[in-house]
């Protein structure tokens, strides 16, 4: 029966009652407590709470309505950027607008950053240049790593929100890979499944390598699983296995199943299919961990980069206009290694603290190079 599409349950009714359950708040407390809790837990949840409050007819004043309006403009900004970048051939936006489109009318999905995957480095700089040209970007972060002989790059572009005292900054993360893994037994996987919904679900599972799952992740999965147009559950389980994410997707499914209001969205046939695959994947990871030599995290940046370990870039000089070259180049100087890119020059570093002398030496090397 694997050829049949997944049968989806009734759509999730996202109400204040559901949010109280998700956030572990007793129902007799006023909505202000719900919003306060949403501000302190991870997941950019205030827009969700405010939008559900408005659709439910809760009393709202000008302050909360103004915040909700700002968040709607933030969502529109991300949609516009996604629409622009996906015109670049081979570019895909994960989660974000595609998940938001599955939420009920009037309910605003929590808004963090925008995750963009491009097929190669030239299109990464093309995408980054488009964001830089249209937004007041005031921060650029870069990570470089090597996998299967290929250099991969991730760039994060961020800028202040409308109200920086209340709202988080806007951020667009563009990378030449979809799923970074855990820098250990789970390798970087550059590609994505061809189906958007599978790519999104696996991106949700991949978050587990960075942090514990949150209420946002659980609600996202429940909304997706109760939406039309899903592939067969067996296909999703096979995809999770292929991309080394069966344990993480199983954990997220189990978390959703533990919530009474959302448990019906997770089909038993999917969790059953994931259990065997998750066990096999955990065995594989243990085997790889035993055989692998520990990474020398004290090695110089150049050695770390050649060994495939992630190396970060500290911006030294932003390009006035993007250069015509399509690839970044590394250059060694007396005190380290530079990354010269079409959007700026970076000092490659192995931590957040950089020796002031090395930083000044790097600036001097950049000035010398442009003479």
């Amino acid at each position: 029966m694997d050829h049949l599409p997944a049968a989806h349950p009734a759509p999730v009714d996202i109400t204040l009652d559901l949010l109280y359950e998700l956030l572990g708040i007793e129902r007799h407390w006023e909505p202000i407590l719900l919003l306060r809790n949403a501000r302190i837990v991870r997941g950019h949840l205030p827009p969700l709470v405010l939008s559900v409050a408005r659709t439910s007819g809760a009393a709202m004043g000008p302050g909360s309505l103004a915040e909700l309006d700002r968040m709607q403009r933030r969502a529109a900004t991300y949609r516009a950027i996604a629409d622009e970048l996906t015109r670049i051939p081979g570019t895909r936006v994960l989660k974000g607008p595609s998940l938001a489109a599955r939420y009920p009318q009037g309910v605003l999905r929590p808004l963090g950053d925008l995750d963009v995957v491009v097929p190669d480095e030239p299109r990464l700089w093309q995408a980054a240049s488009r964001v830089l040209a249209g937004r007041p970007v005031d921060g650029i972060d870069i990570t470089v790593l090597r996998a299967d002989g290929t250099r991969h790059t991730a760039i994060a572009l961020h800028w202040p929100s409308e109200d920086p005292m209340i709202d988080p900054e806007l951020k667009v993360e563009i990378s030449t890979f979809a799923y970074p893994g855990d820098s250990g037994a789970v390798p970087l996987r550059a590609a994505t499944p061809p189906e958007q919904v599978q790519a999104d679900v696996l991106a949700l599972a991949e978050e587990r390598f960075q942090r514990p799952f949150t209420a946002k992740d659980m609600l996202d999965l429940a909304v997706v699983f109760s939406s039309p147009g899903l592939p067969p559950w067996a296909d999703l389980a096979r995809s999770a296995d292929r991309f080394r994410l069966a344990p993480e997707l199983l954990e997220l499914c189990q978390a959703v199943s533990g919530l009474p209001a959302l448990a019906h969205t997770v089909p038993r046939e999917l969790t059953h299919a994931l259990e065997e695959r998750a066990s096999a994947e955990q065995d594989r990871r243990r085997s790889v961990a035993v055989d692998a030599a520990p990474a020398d995290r004290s090695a110089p940046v150049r050695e770390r980069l050649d060994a495939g370990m992630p190396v970060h870039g500290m911006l030294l000089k932003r390009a006035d206009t993007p250069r015509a070259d399509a690839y970044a180049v590394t250059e060694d100087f007396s005190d380290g290694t530079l990354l010269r890119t079409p959007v700026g020059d970076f000092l490659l570093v192995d931590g957040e603290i950089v020796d002031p002398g090395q930083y000044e030496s790097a600036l001097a090397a950049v000035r010398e190079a442009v003479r």
Side-chain angles (χ1 to χ4, degrees):
M1 300 294 288
D2 288 357
H3 64 284
L4 294 178
H8 57 276
V12 174
D13 187 15
I14 303 180
T15 63
L16 286 177
D17 285 342
L18 173 61
L19 299 186
Y20 274 94
E21 181 180 334
L22 270 176
L23 295 178
I25 305 293
E26 294 183 18
R27 190 59 186 90
H28 64 272
W29 292 107
E30 295 296 322
I32 188 173
L33 270 298
L34 183 66
L35 184 59
R36 285 178 181 173
N37 196 65
R39 293 193 190 283
I40 62 176
V41 301
R42 187 163 188 157
H44 302 280
L45 296 175
L48 173 68
V49 174
L50 290 170
S51 64
V52 174
R54 180 155 71 178
T55 60
S56 67
M60 300 177 68
S64 55
L65 290 172
E67 181 174 353
L68 181 55
D69 287 343
R70 290 198 308 274
M71 292 300 99
Q72 289 174 326
R73 289 192 292 272
R74 179 190 183 98
T77 294
Y78 279 157
R79 286 195 301 271
I81 295 173
D83 288 344
E84 180 178 0
L85 297 188
T86 50
R87 296 191 188 105
I88 300 172
T91 298
R92 167 174 275 178
V93 177
L94 296 182
K95 302 181 296 182
S98 58
L99 288 186
R102 295 179 179 271
Y103 273 63
Q105 183 71 27
V107 175
L108 195 57
R109 179 180 178 266
L111 301 163
D113 51 24
L114 193 69
D115 295 320
V116 183
V117 181
V118 293
D120 52 39
E121 191 177 329
R123 278 174 276 199
L124 179 137
W125 304 122
Q126 184 181 356
S129 297
R130 290 192 182 187
V131 176
L132 286 165
R135 306 296 166 189
V137 174
D138 66 354
I140 306 176
D141 304 312
I142 278 184
T143 301
V144 182
L145 65 161
R146 197 172 290 276
D148 295 329
T150 300
R151 185 178 72 189
H152 285 281
T153 305
I155 182 169
L157 309 162
H158 42 94
W159 61 95
S161 62
E162 284 188 49
D163 191 335
M165 289 294 291
I166 299 177
D167 309 327
E169 65 182 2
L170 290 94
K171 180 187 292 186
V172 177
E173 296 187 346
I174 311 167
S175 62
T176 57
F177 53 88
Y179 311 115
D182 67 353
S183 301
V186 181
L188 176 149
R189 289 128 300 148
T192 64
E195 302 85 1
Q196 180 70 43
V197 65
Q198 287 197 24
D200 287 341
V201 168
L202 295 188
L204 290 174
E206 178 79 15
E207 292 286 355
R208 187 63 183 87
F209 293 127
Q210 311 300 322
R211 53 168 175 75
F213 288 127
T214 67
K216 175 183 177 182
D217 303 315
M218 290 183 272
L219 186 57
D220 276 344
L221 192 75
V223 168
V224 169
F225 280 2
S226 60
S227 300
L230 296 185
W233 299 121
D235 284 358
L236 182 55
R238 282 192 289 265
S239 188
D241 187 37
R242 175 189 167 201
F243 284 86
R244 307 294 190 192
L245 285 165
E248 288 68 37
L249 183 54
L250 176 61
E251 181 182 340
L252 183 53
C253 287
Q254 290 171 335
V256 175
S257 296
L259 295 168
L262 300 179
H264 70 285
T265 66
V266 180
R268 178 57 192 163
E269 54 265 42
L270 175 60
T271 55
H272 179 72
L274 287 171
E275 285 167 356
E276 183 177 350
R277 290 172 168 83
S279 178
E281 172 62 15
Q282 295 288 24
D283 288 343
R284 185 199 68 82
R285 292 179 190 181
R286 283 189 287 268
S287 174
V288 171
V290 169
D291 295 338
D296 182 5
R297 299 191 178 277
S298 65
V301 163
R302 170 63 75 173
E303 292 182 19
R304 289 167 56 90
L305 185 61
D306 292 342
M309 300 168 63
V311 174
H312 304 289
M314 171 181 285
L315 181 63
L316 299 168
K317 182 181 183 298
R318 183 167 161 177
D320 295 330
T321 56
R323 299 197 303 269
D325 49 314
Y327 290 89
V329 297
T330 54
E331 294 180 2
D332 293 327
F333 68 105
S334 59
D335 294 313
T337 303
L338 299 175
L339 183 71
R340 313 293 301 277
T341 83
V343 301
D345 298 320
F346 299 80
L347 169 64
L348 293 180
V349 298
D350 54 8
E352 296 182 0
I353 300 177
V354 178
D355 179 83
Q358 183 190 29
Y359 179 73
E360 292 299 326
S361 178
L363 286 175
V366 168
R367 288 193 293 267
E368 181 67 23
V370 298
R371 286 183 180 178

